[in-house]
Amino acid sequence: MAAVDTADRANATEAVGVTDEILVRNAQAGDTACFGQLYQRYVDGVYSYLSFKIGNATEAEDLAEQVFLKALESLGGYKWTGVPFKAWLFRIAHNLLVDHLRRKTKRTSEPLDEALPDRRRETDPEDMLIERLTRQGLIHAVDQLTELQKQVISLKFAGGLTNAEAARIMGKTEGAVKALQHAALQSLQRRLSKVPR
Amino acid sequence: MNVNVTGQNTPSALDFDTALNKAIDRLRAGSPIDECVAASPRFADDLRPLLELTQMTLQLAPVPAPADVKARVRARVMAAAEAKLNRRPWWHTAASWLAGGPAWRLPPVGVAAAVVAFAVFGGGGAVVAAAHSLPGDTLYPIKLAVEDVRLAAARVTSGEDAQAALRNEIADRRVHEAKALADHGRTVPPGLIEAALRHAEAADQLVAALPDGKRVEVATALAASESQRAATLHEVWLRVPEPAKPAIEHAIQQGQAKRADKNQSQNERGDDRSGRSTTADARTPATATPAATPAATATTATGAPATGPTGAQGGRQEDRREDRQEDRGSDRDGQNDRQEDRRAGGPGERQDDQRTGDRVGQPAGGQQDRSDSGPGNSRDRDNPEGRGGGSGAAGQGGSRGASGPGGRGNR
């Protein structure tokens, strides 16, 4: 790769949609800008996944940082053997999340942490309150699901992963993920019907 | 329709899972619920409430990191990345070196010292093994580091002649490495040949700084190596796949151009000093010329164009001397035409310029039949002593009269 200014390269790679593989290989070779591109690419999904599962903005931020630091630490050992970088990264996030939740006797932020940012930028206080309460009810309902169902909902709907990516992280087949998704939605439907919205 | 999700192996459950998943994919892609449901009318009643729930979940669950959070985390993560990733692994340094980095400035003292210590205190076997390594091999960086130590030591303890010999030796190594890679069907990094040219050029610069008498002696020794390198490069060019040829040709052309410029200046300086050739005479002995490229030898015999990376052959010294005598003072108007013709020539392409008799775009080290050359060959004018009379694929001098991809038009 021709030597170009780091910032320019960072912009260029983002602009032309350089593959994760190229970014990872460059990062492995010492290109911090490419690692920065990977961070930009996945920080939202990772943070969203973590915050949805934890329900606490501060903890989600800390854990998101740990995810990328862990990825940085393990980057040298990452090889392109069929596991996409995104799935590898979310696997790290999942493992750290499991450790994090295991250390906690219970969720400190249940109900939902007030500091958790709003997804939408609505300024109407009433709309914001409705959204917050609705999300709180959703998270509460998700919390009642089985671990596998929770994982599917978190990975797919909060993390934005595909069935294939979720299947890799969970060690399941895509068919199993589809079935878990179905079961999770049905269970949520039942539980949310009992939750004031 | 009530789907039995507990019996997930039943066809209905599998079908519904698939239908639900497709509907969710559509929903995530932005399709309205009605459209998603309409795509699977069989499951419409069961799909709709789940899709409404999915839509709500998709709206509420994703919580992108706020800008200030992203900035804070990024700052901490990138600081760690700078600290970790900038400790580049050895193979990256080697790759940079091959890609054209300043070979004799790159190795940190610590690396050099470590290599020496490694060699002295038990790592000698590895160093010996590294001497036979090739680019891409695990031990190759050790080989490079050892060379750098030798160069650094030579700069301190040896004169220019010894340093030139070392540079020449390393240039030979790079070329032989390229050939070994090509022989094994491995990729020849363009930087490898560029490194060879850099070392050869460094050797020439060191030679140029020598006193006249010493310069002739050392240059004579280097000329044989250079001729052999040219022949080897020609073989490499023949063996590498087509996509790799241009890079090699380019590297050869660059080397030729630089060296031709340098030779010209040396010639002029030599003329100013003594009116006779020293370095270039010694660097281009007639005996070293045609043997450099077998294809060129064939050309000499048949007059047919040979295939190779450069049109670069001297030879037929007697004819050339006669031609040069005739060329002196003759018209120079034909130069531009020949230059244009040569620029138009490409690899594998040959034209006979009837006006001048020059062979244009001759890709191989095909020998230029000087007897056909028309007047106004600038090389001859610039080099009345016959300097640069012959070289191989990477050579100079004679190549300027018969340019291929690596050739160079009259100047």
Side-chain angles (χ1 to χ4, degrees):
Chain A
M1 178 179 289
V4 293
D5 179 79
T6 300
D8 288 345
R9 175 160 46 194
N11 294 333
T13 53
E14 187 64 18
V16 300
V18 172
T19 63
D20 283 359
E21 181 173 1
I22 290 174
L23 291 176
V24 169
R25 289 194 194 284
N26 287 346
Q28 286 175 327
D31 192 331
T32 53
C34 286
F35 189 78
Q37 283 296 326
L38 291 167
Y39 171 85
Q40 283 300 123
R41 198 169 278 190
Y42 294 117
V43 64
D44 278 335
V46 168
Y47 179 86
S48 179
Y49 168 67
L50 295 171
S51 64
F52 185 75
K53 291 277 282 186
I54 299 172
N56 180 294
T58 306
E59 290 178 15
E61 179 179 338
D62 289 344
L63 212 52
E65 180 181 337
Q66 288 181 42
V67 169
F68 284 98
L69 291 177
K70 180 70 177 176
L72 180 65
E73 182 187 331
S74 307
L75 193 65
Y78 175 76
K79 297 187 189 309
W80 286 94
T81 54
V83 180
F85 176 77
K86 185 180 181 182
W88 181 76
L89 188 68
F90 271 83
R91 183 77 196 173
I92 292 174
H94 172 72
N95 290 340
L96 288 173
L97 183 65
V98 168
D99 290 344
H100 175 79
L101 294 177
R102 194 175 290 152
R103 283 195 299 269
K104 297 174 68 173
T105 55
K106 64 174 186 176
R107 291 173 70 138
T108 57
S109 57
E110 196 173 356
L112 184 67
D113 184 359
E114 292 296 314
L116 202 60
D118 290 304
R119 180 185 176 278
R120 289 179 289 189
R121 300 182 183 279
E122 290 162 349
T123 54
D124 186 335
E126 187 177 338
D127 286 345
M128 290 174 66
L129 179 61
I130 290 172
E131 177 172 321
R132 193 175 293 274
L133 290 174
T134 308
R135 188 193 294 157
Q136 182 180 331
L138 176 66
I139 290 178
H140 179 77
V142 169
D143 216 29
Q144 308 302 310
L145 300 176
T146 68
E147 279 306 313
L148 288 176
Q149 290 171 354
K150 273 192 280 190
Q151 206 171 342
V152 167
I153 296 298
S154 302
L155 289 172
K156 284 203 66 179
F157 297 156
L161 270 60
T162 63
N163 283 343
E165 290 165 343
R168 279 187 183 280
I169 292 166
M170 297 173 65
K172 302 285 183 185
T173 65
E174 286 192 52
V177 169
K178 286 178 190 173
L180 282 166
Q181 174 181 255
H182 176 193
L185 287 171
Q186 280 202 320
S187 181
L188 276 179
Q189 186 187 20
R190 284 196 303 274
R191 294 176 193 285
L192 284 171
S193 63
K194 301 173 187 173
V195 176
R197 293 168 61 183
Chain B
M1 183 178 181
N2 192 13
V3 180
N4 175 18
V5 295
T6 55
Q8 291 180 5
N9 289 330
T10 63
S12 61
L14 291 175
D15 290 347
F16 186 79
D17 289 347
T18 301
L20 175 63
N21 196 65
K22 284 182 179 175
I24 289 173
D25 285 346
R26 287 195 183 95
L27 202 60
R28 289 173 76 167
S31 298
I33 288 180
D34 287 343
E35 191 177 303
C36 300
V37 170
S40 302
R42 182 181 163 200
F43 300 115
D45 292 343
D46 292 301
L47 276 179
R48 183 174 294 279
L50 295 182
L51 289 180
E52 288 172 351
L53 176 61
T54 299
Q55 190 173 47
M56 185 189 79
T57 308
L58 286 172
Q59 286 173 352
L60 295 176
V63 184
D68 59 328
V69 171
K70 274 199 275 196
R72 277 198 303 271
V73 175
R74 182 187 174 92
R76 294 192 288 263
V77 168
M78 293 311 291
E82 289 288 342
K84 179 176 176 63
L85 297 180
N86 276 342
R87 295 202 302 266
R88 296 187 173 189
W90 54 263
W91 60 82
H92 189 265
T93 302
S96 298
W97 190 90
L98 281 178
W104 41 89
R105 279 185 278 134
L106 251 184
V109 173
V111 171
V115 169
V116 172
F118 185 62
V120 171
F121 301 109
V127 175
V128 171
H132 303 287
S133 64
L134 297 172
D137 292 348
T138 305
L139 293 178
Y140 189 68
I142 296 178
K143 182 180 187 176
L144 298 182
V146 169
E147 288 175 358
D148 290 329
V149 171
R150 291 179 63 194
L151 285 169
R155 277 198 296 273
V156 176
T157 61
S158 306
E160 279 83 0
D161 53 342
Q163 292 181 54
L166 180 55
R167 289 281 187 189
N168 188 62
E169 176 191 330
I170 295 174
D172 282 349
R173 281 191 183 189
R174 296 293 91 84
V175 171
H176 283 109
E177 287 163 2
K179 183 175 180 298
L181 289 171
D183 288 345
H184 290 89
R186 293 167 61 181
T187 302
V188 178
L192 191 63
I193 295 171
E194 289 167 7
L197 293 171
R198 277 203 310 274
H199 283 289
E201 189 175 335
D204 287 344
Q205 288 172 356
L206 288 162
V207 169
L210 292 170
D212 281 355
K214 190 71 172 175
R215 186 164 70 236
V216 174
E217 178 189 338
V218 176
T220 303
L222 296 189
S225 292
E226 186 174 285
S227 177
Q228 186 56 49
R229 278 201 300 273
T232 307
L233 276 174
H234 178 230
E235 291 181 41
V236 173
W237 186 87
L238 288 173
R239 293 182 193 194
V240 298
E242 282 299 325
K245 290 185 190 294
I248 294 177
E249 291 164 6
H250 177 68
I252 293 173
Q253 284 173 339
Q254 280 192 322
Q256 283 185 332
K258 288 178 186 173
R259 295 165 74 79
D261 288 343
K262 180 177 60 59
N263 276 357
Q264 181 179 344
S265 64
Q266 283 180 347
N267 292 345
E268 289 167 353
R269 185 180 57 194
D271 290 343
D272 291 343
R273 284 178 181 171
S274 61
R276 66 182 177 84
S277 169
T278 54
T279 302
D281 273 344
R283 293 185 63 79
T284 54
T287 53
T289 303
T293 52
T297 307
T299 304
T300 304
T302 64
T307 56
T310 62
Q313 282 309 312
R316 305 192 65 171
Q317 299 290 316
E318 293 303 320
D319 286 348
R320 281 197 222 165
R321 288 199 181 92
E322 291 173 11
D323 291 341
R324 281 193 290 274
Q325 293 297 327
E326 294 171 6
D327 290 344
R328 283 180 196 144
S330 61
D331 83 87
R332 299 178 179 223
D333 295 337
Q335 282 187 72
N336 291 337
D337 289 340
R338 284 192 297 276
Q339 280 186 314
E340 290 301 317
D341 290 342
R342 286 177 180 129
R343 287 191 192 109
E349 182 182 352
R350 175 179 178 253
Q351 300 172 7
D352 287 329
D353 187 329
Q354 296 303 320
R355 291 167 296 179
T356 64
D358 281 352
R359 290 181 179 141
V360 184
Q362 194 168 323
Q367 179 170 353
Q368 176 73 25
D369 187 347
R370 293 290 176 181
S371 63
D372 291 341
S373 295
N377 185 308
S378 66
R379 184 191 67 79
D380 294 334
R381 282 195 303 274
D382 293 339
N383 185 11
E385 305 301 327
R387 296 171 188 168
S391 67
Q396 78 279 6
S399 65
R400 295 164 65 185
S403 57
R408 181 177 169 88
N410 289 343
R411 296 154 44 85

